[in-house]
Amino acid sequence: MRLRNKPRAAGEIAAHPEWITITPEDHKGQWQTKFAQPQPLCVEVGSGKGQFIIEMAKAHPDKNFIGIELQPSVIIMILERQMVAQLPNLFLIQANGNRLTDFFAPAEVAELYLNFSDPWPKTRHAKRRLTHANFLKMYEIVLQPAGLFQFKTDNRGLFEFSLQSFNAYGMVFDDLSLDLHHSAQNETNIETEYEHRFSQMGHPIYYIQAHFKTTD
């Protein structure tokens, strides 16, 4: 999908440090200071236009949410919605989500979400998939012991790769669905923009909830 360039994006992002940052490493270990009150910290890697992270923040005022998106022309859409909503438990990061250990201290994150990540379908690009073992090591570091990890996709190939990757890494599966929108889990599910569109087209949504093993 071709992204329309928005020249105003950089200036608008710079003008609102109360809601967004392009230097998340400056806040490593201190993210709770960006919110109205300390609460469990939940992070979405690749927030797109923000439907999921905004609705999650509305639905769960007892948690703090951070949405990470690389493209300025995309995250500006979330920022503009936040400028209206002014949710006290939502903050944004405009940066590449492949550097989480630079952004968050060990065990700083309570919940981590990967929604409709790029499937990188070519075999030679497997290491770029956000569910590859190299990324799992990073998630394990920033997540609290037994912290929640949630993954959704409409791509069967990515789902199967991720299932194998999680299992090989030794993750514990808490929930799994081959058709999320026709399962009990959907009662509390909050959709992304892509998810809504794909499900309307009849695509099944694959879902995994898991956590990393803890050592006693």
Side-chain angles (χ1 to χ4, degrees):
M1 179 179 67
R2 183 182 296 274
L3 297 176
R4 180 179 299 176
N5 183 44
K6 297 186 177 180
R8 74 178 188 283
E12 200 159 333
I13 289 170
H16 292 285
E18 70 275 26
W19 289 318
I20 189 169
T21 183
I22 61 171
T23 57
E25 57 275 8
D26 293 346
H27 308 287
K28 183 176 181 177
Q30 303 175 28
W31 284 106
Q32 295 295 347
T33 64
K34 305 303 293 184
F35 300 96
Q37 58 184 342
Q39 300 182 135
L41 187 64
C42 308
V43 176
E44 182 187 22
V45 179
S47 292
K49 297 177 182 178
Q51 179 170 307
F52 176 83
I53 201 70
I54 288 174
E55 294 305 319
M56 285 291 285
K58 290 179 180 178
H60 301 282
D62 57 336
K63 299 177 181 180
N64 291 331
F65 292 87
I66 291 179
I68 302 176
E69 173 57 47
L70 174 61
Q71 300 294 337
S73 295
V74 177
I75 202 168
I76 190 66
M77 301 179 193
I78 315 178
L79 176 59
E80 289 174 343
R81 293 177 65 181
Q82 172 64 343
M83 289 167 63
V84 175
Q86 299 194 21
L87 297 169
N89 62 332
L90 176 62
F91 195 79
L92 305 173
I93 293 175
Q94 190 255 300
N96 196 322
N98 64 7
R99 296 173 51 222
L100 290 189
T101 49
D102 292 333
F103 304 162
F104 300 98
E108 189 173 12
V109 178
E111 300 181 6
L112 184 67
Y113 314 108
L114 294 183
N115 294 319
F116 300 87
S117 307
D118 191 330
W120 291 103
K122 294 182 179 179
T123 302
R124 69 176 184 271
H125 292 155
K127 289 186 177 181
R128 298 185 185 183
R129 298 169 191 160
L130 294 184
T131 53
H132 187 274
N134 292 345
F135 288 101
L136 298 183
K137 293 177 183 178
M138 181 173 62
Y139 305 149
E140 185 177 21
I141 291 171
V142 301
L143 271 171
Q144 296 171 0
L148 180 148
F149 179 89
Q150 179 178 290
F151 169 75
K152 290 194 288 187
T153 184
D154 75 312
N155 187 284
R156 179 76 182 215
L158 180 60
F159 172 76
E160 292 176 350
F161 171 87
S162 302
L163 196 62
Q164 294 171 3
S165 181
F166 299 163
N167 186 61
Y169 198 84
M171 295 180 72
V172 179
F173 295 93
D174 303 310
D175 212 342
L176 185 150
S177 177
L178 300 178
D179 192 357
L180 175 60
H181 288 202
H182 293 90
S183 66
Q185 299 98 318
N186 196 47
E187 293 181 4
T188 57
N189 179 52
I190 290 179
E191 294 183 329
T192 74
E193 295 89 353
Y194 283 119
E195 181 177 355
H196 180 75
R197 184 172 66 186
F198 294 151
S199 63
Q200 290 293 309
M201 295 168 63
H203 296 194
I205 304 301
Y206 305 104
Y207 169 84
I208 298 174
Q209 181 177 309
H211 67 271
F212 293 95
K213 286 184 178 178
T214 57
T215 56
D216 297 329

